[in-house]
Amino acid sequence: MRAIGYKTPGAIDDTNALSDIDLPIPVPTGRDLLVEIRAVSVNPVDTKIRASATPEPGQWRVLGWDAAGIVKATGPEVQDFTVGDAVFYAGALQRPGTNAEFHLVDERLVGRKPETLDWAQAAALPLTALTAWEMLFDRLEITRPVPGTQPAVLIIGGAGGVGSIAIQLVRALTDVTVIATASRPETREWVKELGAHHVIDHRQDLASQVAALPTGAPGFVFSTTQTAEHMADIVALVAPQGRFGLIDDPATLDAAPLKRKSLSLHWEFMFTRSMFATADIARQGHILNEVAALIDGGRLRTTLGAHFGPITAANLRRAHALIESGQACGKVVLEGFDLESEAE
C-alpha cells in the first residue's frame, strides 16, 4: 500500500522529512477495523512528532491522527461495524498513523461519518472535536456554573482547529457566552462566523480587553495555544473559583498563582483514553457519533480551512509547514492518493 513516512526526524524543509513509501497492508485482529483511507487532516501533533521522534532503527514512522474512510475488513471481536461502513476517527498515538492507504484502528475510537459531509470535510473534525468536547464537558464541565458569574468561556486561539470546533460546541449545546481570541482580520471574521459572541486580540493585553466586556469575569478559560505567554493574564481575568484548561505544552507551568482564586487546572490530552485503554475508552466513539448527529442536524459545520490536494509526501510537507507557521485558519485536509505518484 502507498504511505508517507520518515526514518529520521528533522525540519520540514528537508525533502527527506516525509517520503512516499510502500508498506504491507496491515491485518486486523481483536477489535480492529481495517479502514481504507479517503481523506486525512494534519494537526500540530503530527509536526511535533515528525520533528523530534526517532523511529525504530530501519523502520518508517507513519504519521496522521485524523481520517475518514471505509471499513474494508474487521477483526474477529468487532461488535459495532461491518465492511462498507463509512467512518471517521482520530486513532491512537502509539500505533501507525493514517497517512496510508489502509489503517488499523480500535472500533471503540471510531464514529460513523456524518452523512452530510464529504470525505475531506469529515476528516477535518475528529481529533479537534474530541479534544474540544473532552475539555469543555469532561474537564471544565462548563454546564456546571461557577458561583457568582455569568456563564462565559474565554477560548484562546479561537481560529485554530480546536478553537474552531470548541466555539461551535459551546453555542450548540449550552447557553454559555463565547469570548474568542483572534488577531488577523480573516481569523476574526472566521470566529464570528462560527458563533463567537465577542472577539478580542491575543496580541494585546487579554485581561483589560475582557474587563471591558459586558460578561464580567468568565468562569472558564480554554487555552489552546501560547499558554505560557498568556498565563498572567489568564489568572488575572478569570473569576474566583473558575476553571482553567489547556492543551498545549508550555516548557514550564507555575500553578502557584492559581491558589489565591482557588482556580482548578485541567490538562486535556485526547490520546489518554486510547494510550491507557481506560475503562471509558469507548466514550470517544460515542462523542464522534454525537458530533456526526449535530453535523447532520445542521447545528455544527466542518472546520476545513484549506484543501491541499491528494495525500502525497510533497503535499504533506506543505501542510506541516503551514501548521508550523501558526498561520493556519481551521483545518488543513488532504484527500485521496495520487495514482501517478511513485513509491520509493
Side-chain angles (χ1 to χ4, degrees):
M1 68 175 180
R2 285 164 294 183
I4 294 89
Y6 73 94
K7 286 187 173 180
T8 304
I12 196 59
D13 56 4
D14 182 345
T15 56
N16 293 319
L18 294 169
S19 300
D20 294 297
I21 60 176
D22 186 69
L23 295 173
I25 296 176
V27 177
T29 60
R31 298 190 71 171
D32 282 344
L33 306 177
L34 178 68
V35 178
E36 181 182 13
I37 301 297
R38 294 300 181 89
V40 300
S41 68
V42 182
N43 294 282
V45 63
D46 299 59
T47 68
K48 292 174 185 177
I49 291 176
R50 187 218 73 243
S52 62
T54 301
E56 292 294 321
Q59 300 298 308
W60 291 99
R61 180 70 183 267
V62 177
L63 304 173
W65 289 279
D66 257 335
I70 297 174
V71 176
K72 299 305 262 186
T74 62
E77 298 173 18
V78 166
Q79 302 171 13
D80 298 325
F81 295 91
T82 59
V83 172
D85 285 344
V87 297
F88 74 145
Y89 59 91
L93 197 63
Q94 68 271 27
R95 303 188 73 172
T98 59
N99 294 337
E101 283 188 275
F102 297 93
H103 181 253
L104 292 180
V105 61
D106 187 309
E107 66 165 337
R108 292 170 292 182
L109 304 175
V110 176
R112 298 184 183 277
K113 171 186 165 291
E115 295 180 356
T116 54
L117 298 185
D118 63 26
W119 297 112
Q121 292 168 333
L125 289 166
L127 187 148
T128 53
L130 287 166
T131 299
W133 189 296
E134 290 182 354
M135 175 61 87
L136 292 169
F137 303 111
D138 295 354
R139 317 292 180 224
L140 292 178
E141 298 181 277
I142 66 165
T143 57
R144 179 168 63 89
V146 173
T149 68
Q150 298 181 46
V153 58
L154 170 63
I155 299 174
I156 298 174
V162 174
S164 294
I165 193 67
I167 292 169
Q168 295 184 74
L169 286 171
V170 175
R171 291 302 311 270
L173 298 175
T174 79
D175 294 323
V176 175
T177 297
V178 178
I179 308 163
T181 78
S183 60
R184 291 175 284 140
E186 61 270 28
T187 55
R188 292 177 68 87
E189 186 59 32
W190 171 262
V191 298
K192 288 179 182 177
E193 289 178 5
L194 295 176
H197 296 91
H198 306 284
V199 183
I200 62 176
D201 188 346
H202 49 245
R203 295 181 180 176
Q204 307 298 325
D205 178 79
L206 294 180
S208 62
Q209 293 179 81
V210 168
L213 297 176
T215 57
F220 311 101
V221 175
F222 182 175
S223 181
T224 72
T225 186
Q226 298 180 325
T227 298
E229 177 182 332
H230 300 300
M231 190 66 183
D233 267 350
I234 290 168
V235 174
L237 66 86
V238 69
Q241 302 187 90
R243 299 175 212 134
F244 159 50
L246 71 156
I247 61 172
D248 61 331
D249 302 291
T252 60
L253 185 70
D254 182 7
L258 306 182
K259 180 179 180 180
R260 183 168 176 267
K261 285 186 172 180
S262 294
L263 304 177
S264 59
L265 173 65
H266 306 266
W267 221 321
E268 160 64 17
F269 186 50
M270 191 226 74
F271 295 111
T272 296
R273 285 181 162 124
S274 58
M275 184 175 290
F276 294 97
T278 60
D280 62 350
I281 185 174
R283 177 159 168 75
Q284 293 206 327
H286 298 156
I287 290 170
L288 289 175
N289 285 333
E290 290 288 338
V291 169
L294 290 167
I295 290 282
D296 290 338
R299 300 177 68 190
L300 295 179
R301 66 183 241 195
T302 183
T303 54
L304 190 158
H307 193 307
F308 272 28
I311 305 167
T312 66
N315 287 340
L316 277 169
R317 287 195 295 269
R318 290 172 52 222
H320 278 231
L322 177 60
I323 297 294
E324 290 180 341
S325 75
Q327 299 300 302
C329 183
K331 293 299 295 295
V332 181
V333 175
L334 296 86
E335 182 176 12
F337 284 81
D338 187 352
L339 297 177
E340 298 181 357
S341 68
E342 292 293 333
E344 292 185 351

